[in-house]
Amino acid sequence: MPDTQQDSIGFAGPDSLGHFGPYGGTFVGETLIAAVEELSRVYEEVSKDPEFWAEYDYDLKYYVGRPSPLYLAERLTAAAGGARIYLKREDLNHTGAHKVNNTIGQALLAKRMGKTRIIAETGAGQHGVASATVAARLGLECFVYMGAEDIQRQAPNVYRMKLLGATVVSVESGSRTLKDAMNEALRDWATNVDSTYYIIGTVAGPHPYPQIVRDFQCIIGRETREQSLEQIGQLPDALVACVGGGSNAIGMFHPFLSDSSVAMYGVEAGGDGVETGRHAAPLSAGVPGVLHGNRTYLMTDSGGQIMETHSVSAGLDYPGVGPEHAWLKDLKRVNYVNATDAEAMKAFHQLTRLEGIIPALESAHAVAYAMRLAATMAPEQSIVINLSGRGDKDIQTVAKLEGLTL
Amino acid sequence: MSRISEVSAAAAQQGRKLLIPYVVAGDPDLPTTLRLLHKLVAEGADIIELGVPFSDPSSDGPVIQRGVERSIAGGTNLAKVLDLVADFRAVDKITPIVLMGYLNPVEIMGYEVFADRASHVGVDGVLVVDMPPSESNALRGVLHDRQIDTIFLVAPTTTDARCEQIAACCTGYLYYVSLKGVTGAALLDTESVRLSIEKLRKLTALPIVIGFGIKDADSARAMGALSEGVIIGSALVERIEKLPSNDSATEQQLAHVTEVIKSARGALDEI
């Protein structure tokens, strides 16, 4: 079909310099250029090597526990009152989120490159835990950079990382959250570039990271596609995923980009409401700029300083977003919407009570929007939500917001 | 001929090494920076690198990060830095000013607007640390149209092929980063720097200056001997950290800051 052909060409990316349309690229200091070029070279080689992918698939199956189920949430569907809602259960992965799909892959890359030391940045701690986990498994030294603010609100994950043998470095600079953790990790990498592999946790950073992380997360969308055909008998009408940096969303969306019948919704963190300015929704309310190695939509003030963001969920509390999302927004292939803290909290409770599944606060944003969307659709239609993580790490945050002490 | 080329040509003729201090504009406040700039020139600076503060300075070490945070806390942004250059230029028509910073503030202002304003206030060069040559075509074009130099870094990890690419995009002077890591890191390996500079000489006729890790007369002397000059940043910003804000620094306090440059000047002049 000419249409599909057109689409698959239209959405191919990135180019050899890491550009997705006007976005992406390699905006880092000269000290890091050699490192990202080496990584590009190795990845290009490895991505054509069936043995590499066989090892990756093996680890995903026997260590992570894939495939993750596609689950029809009947009571949630009834509560929303419209389209059937399915959950792609990334929360059931080992370590409790989609993040491990990527760390497994990048750890294999680190091993191939002969690196002995792993560094990572983390916001909610899920990527930090997933990095510490693969480092423990491979016997590599691991340093995780985490904003001091996030260390406070994600204490259980901090302790998990320590149990796994990682050193958690508290980042006190800037806004003391995910973006500052990423700055610090970049500084570490520039200093220890010979021994160190930097596992970026989302589809941001300099080329080739947005591509590498996407490729490792695409397992989500590929499985969803197969499972939909098997369980629904056709492709879903809509996909919904939360977007911070955007790794779980791109992993879900990418294998469907050429399927024009599948609508896609990336749900950003609306915080107190996009109109209040206290949010983390650069695609909804930001402008293009350059941060952390790539050109993308950012929350930046008129003088070009990156603004502090706000979200109840640490994992979405980031002022940028992966460059491929920026491009998909401009191409109008994906609809970028948002859900507020309050809506996410409500959805958190609804999913917990109706289905016995406690979602991560990040994923609760997707649930919130999907319920709104489902209500506008017909019962014979279907929506797949990427339930990107489980909410055990968030129960303290939720309790605190509700005035309880555990 | 740009002001940077004139100054470096004159220095070469006199056998004088270039001394290039780096300070963050607006650290601790803009009026103090202006006073410092004039004093740096009086103590022997040939060119000034003026840091444009950015909220996420991922190539900088803790000393300059704190300087940047102080500057941003005082409300400094790119537009105000350009005003500062205008104020400096009203008095000093000779000393070249190079703006050094990150790309986002320039992206948000817009390349054309930035280039026009920079040219208007008398900026001589621009060094964007997170914009490698391969991403620099558009900005380089608008700056070169206005005779503003574009300066790039070469690192110890830069491959030979890249050195050529960088040399081809670079005007004014070539900035050699003497070590791996972020600004303010320690340890200089003289022999490996010497070899790298020798290699670069074959690729460019531009003056080569060395930065990162030069903090006193000794390191200035060692690195100056290998190159056309040195850049001193963190050692200055470390002293600026102790200055009071609100334009209240005394002459003596400023002299304590610029003493670093004075002693480096002495050391360079002995080479």
Side-chain angles (χ1 to χ4, degrees):
Chain A
M1 286 199 320
D3 274 348
T4 315
Q5 187 81 9
Q6 192 70 41
D7 282 354
S8 62
I9 291 166
F11 300 118
D15 69 14
S16 62
L17 293 174
H19 298 117
F20 298 90
Y23 304 106
T26 312
F27 294 91
V28 290
E30 187 58 32
T31 314
L32 283 178
I33 292 284
V36 296
E37 285 188 344
E38 183 195 5
L39 182 57
S40 287
R41 212 164 41 241
V42 170
Y43 184 65
E44 175 137 8
E45 203 182 286
V46 150
S47 59
K48 292 179 196 130
D49 177 359
E51 267 180 45
F52 177 85
W53 292 105
E55 200 177 350
Y56 170 75
D57 289 341
Y58 181 92
D59 283 353
L60 289 188
K61 183 171 177 187
Y62 294 103
Y63 187 67
V64 175
R66 300 201 73 93
S68 66
L70 182 68
Y71 164 74
L72 173 60
E74 292 185 37
R75 300 227 305 147
L76 193 74
T77 297
R84 273 173 300 161
I85 300 176
Y86 288 83
L87 306 175
K88 177 60 175 167
R89 297 289 309 275
E90 291 299 300
D91 61 314
L92 293 178
N93 292 337
H94 177 44
T95 72
H98 72 290
K99 292 292 186 188
V100 73
N101 302 330
N102 169 47
T103 59
I104 288 277
Q106 290 204 53
L108 291 176
L109 280 177
K111 207 170 80 176
R112 286 230 174 178
M113 293 168 81
K115 305 291 186 184
T116 55
R117 182 171 175 270
I118 295 280
I119 58 171
E121 85 294 336
T122 198
Q126 290 303 101
H127 174 58
V129 167
S131 297
T133 298
V134 296
R137 180 165 174 253
L138 296 177
L140 301 172
E141 202 183 4
C142 181
F143 287 79
V144 179
Y145 289 90
M146 189 167 184
E149 182 92 0
D150 292 334
I151 284 182
Q152 289 295 321
R153 55 181 171 175
Q154 302 288 343
N157 269 346
V158 174
Y159 188 56
R160 285 168 82 193
M161 287 184 266
K162 288 183 180 163
L163 286 173
L164 289 160
T167 303
V168 179
V169 185
S170 175
V171 177
E172 306 282 348
S173 58
S175 61
R176 302 160 23 124
T177 59
L178 178 55
K179 80 175 178 73
D180 309 284
M182 198 153 176
N183 292 332
E184 210 51 46
L186 286 166
R187 291 178 189 120
D188 179 315
W189 198 26
T191 309
N192 302 295
V193 66
D194 294 330
S195 66
T196 299
Y197 186 98
Y198 178 17
I199 304 188
I200 292 185
T202 191
V203 284
H207 177 65
Y209 283 105
Q211 180 188 359
I212 291 181
V213 178
R214 176 197 74 195
D215 290 354
F216 290 142
Q217 291 295 358
C218 275
I219 185 73
I220 303 172
R222 284 200 303 273
E223 284 179 7
T224 301
R225 220 186 139 80
E226 266 178 44
Q227 291 165 328
S228 299
L229 293 173
E230 199 182 298
Q231 294 171 230
I232 310 174
Q234 60 182 57
L235 295 182
D237 296 287
L239 303 173
V240 181
C242 64
V243 178
S247 69
N248 90 77
I250 210 79
M252 172 62 96
F253 296 163
H254 197 266
F256 291 91
L257 286 176
S258 300
D259 300 303
S260 52
S261 69
V262 180
M264 300 181 190
Y265 298 87
V267 187
E268 294 192 294
D272 290 346
V274 167
E275 69 289 350
T276 66
R278 280 176 49 80
H279 58 84
L283 290 167
S284 305
V287 293
V290 172
L291 177 69
H292 293 152
N294 66 98
R295 182 178 284 117
T296 187
Y297 280 85
L298 297 176
M299 291 180 55
T300 165
D301 69 18
S302 59
Q305 310 298 357
I306 304 305
M307 289 157 67
E308 292 198 11
T309 52
H310 168 79
S311 170
V312 69
S313 102
L316 300 182
D317 214 347
Y318 181 67
V321 63
E324 193 165 11
H325 286 292
W327 192 44
L328 291 171
K329 172 190 159 79
D330 285 8
L331 294 174
K332 299 191 178 2
R333 177 61 186 97
V334 178
N335 304 290
Y336 292 94
V337 296
N338 62 82
T340 63
D341 285 355
E343 289 171 315
M345 285 293 289
K346 187 178 168 205
F348 173 92
H349 285 298
Q350 278 180 300
L351 187 64
T352 301
R353 288 299 187 90
L354 291 170
E355 298 289 349
I357 296 171
I358 303 179
L361 283 174
E362 291 77 13
S363 320
H365 286 73
V367 175
Y369 186 80
M371 290 184 75
R372 252 196 275 160
L373 180 67
T376 68
M377 293 167 65
E380 60 276 14
Q381 291 185 296
S382 56
I383 296 177
V384 175
I385 301 173
N386 193 10
L387 198 71
S388 56
R390 68 175 183 228
D392 307 48
K393 69 182 175 60
D394 291 315
I395 57 174
Q396 279 189 340
T397 305
V398 173
K400 200 172 154 196
L401 282 170
E402 294 177 348
L404 304 171
T405 319
L406 298 184
Chain B
M1 198 184 231
S2 77
R3 211 164 357 215
I4 294 173
S5 305
E6 280 171 27
V7 164
S8 51
Q13 209 162 19
Q14 298 159 18
R16 175 183 165 98
K17 299 292 181 182
L18 296 171
L19 176 55
I20 309 178
Y22 165 96
V23 296
V24 180
D27 172 26
D29 55 65
L30 288 161
T32 305
T33 303
L34 183 61
R35 290 169 65 203
L36 266 176
L37 297 185
H38 291 307
K39 205 165 171 62
L40 289 166
V41 174
E43 298 292 10
D46 298 293
I47 298 171
I48 286 172
E49 282 189 357
L50 190 55
V52 179
F54 177 51
S55 51
D56 294 78
S58 54
S59 291
D60 285 300
V63 171
I64 291 179
Q65 281 175 52
R66 289 197 299 272
V68 165
E69 282 182 14
R70 288 190 294 274
S71 167
I72 291 175
T76 308
N77 57 27
L78 178 56
K80 290 183 182 174
V81 176
L82 290 166
D83 292 343
L84 175 70
V85 176
D87 292 343
F88 175 79
R89 226 6 118 226
V91 177
D92 185 329
K93 317 269 189 223
I94 300 165
T95 312
I97 295 264
V98 173
L99 296 186
M100 180 169 180
Y102 294 78
L103 188 53
N104 196 55
V106 177
E107 291 256 325
I108 298 302
M109 181 175 278
Y111 288 180
E112 293 272 344
V113 174
F114 167 70
D116 279 340
R117 286 165 80 171
S119 164
H120 180 71
V121 299
V123 168
D124 301 288
V126 171
L127 195 178
V128 183
V129 293
D130 59 346
M131 182 185 69
S134 60
E135 301 283 1
S136 72
N137 285 352
L139 184 58
R140 227 165 0 106
V142 298
L143 291 173
H144 287 179
D145 284 349
R146 293 158 181 81
Q147 284 77 51
I148 295 175
D149 285 319
T150 53
I151 292 150
F152 287 90
L153 305 174
V154 168
T157 50
T158 306
T159 59
D160 293 359
R162 271 191 73 78
C163 284
E164 274 183 56
Q165 191 195 358
I166 293 169
C169 296
C170 190
T171 61
Y173 57 84
L174 192 65
Y175 186 138
Y176 182 73
V177 176
S178 52
L179 43 88
K180 292 175 192 174
V182 293
T183 52
L187 226 75
L188 293 164
D189 173 359
T190 313
E191 185 53 19
S192 73
V193 174
R194 193 182 62 76
L195 291 172
S196 302
I197 302 277
E198 247 173 45
K199 205 172 61 186
L200 284 173
R201 294 257 183 244
K202 299 190 181 112
L203 299 174
T204 182
L206 289 174
I208 299 171
V209 300
I210 302 179
F212 281 39
I214 298 168
K215 49 188 56 154
D216 50 26
D218 286 347
S219 46
R221 190 181 296 113
M223 292 295 122
L226 305 174
S227 63
E228 274 72 60
V230 300
I231 297 155
I232 299 183
S234 297
L236 276 172
V237 177
E238 206 158 38
R239 292 191 178 204
I240 290 171
E241 183 154 35
K242 299 191 181 85
L243 291 180
S245 55
N246 305 321
D247 194 16
S248 56
T250 62
E251 276 306 306
Q252 199 184 355
Q253 285 172 318
L254 294 188
H256 176 69
V257 173
T258 57
E259 190 193 298
V260 178
I261 292 303
K262 191 179 185 177
S263 67
R265 179 78 269 163
L268 289 174
D269 289 347
E270 285 164 16
I271 295 171

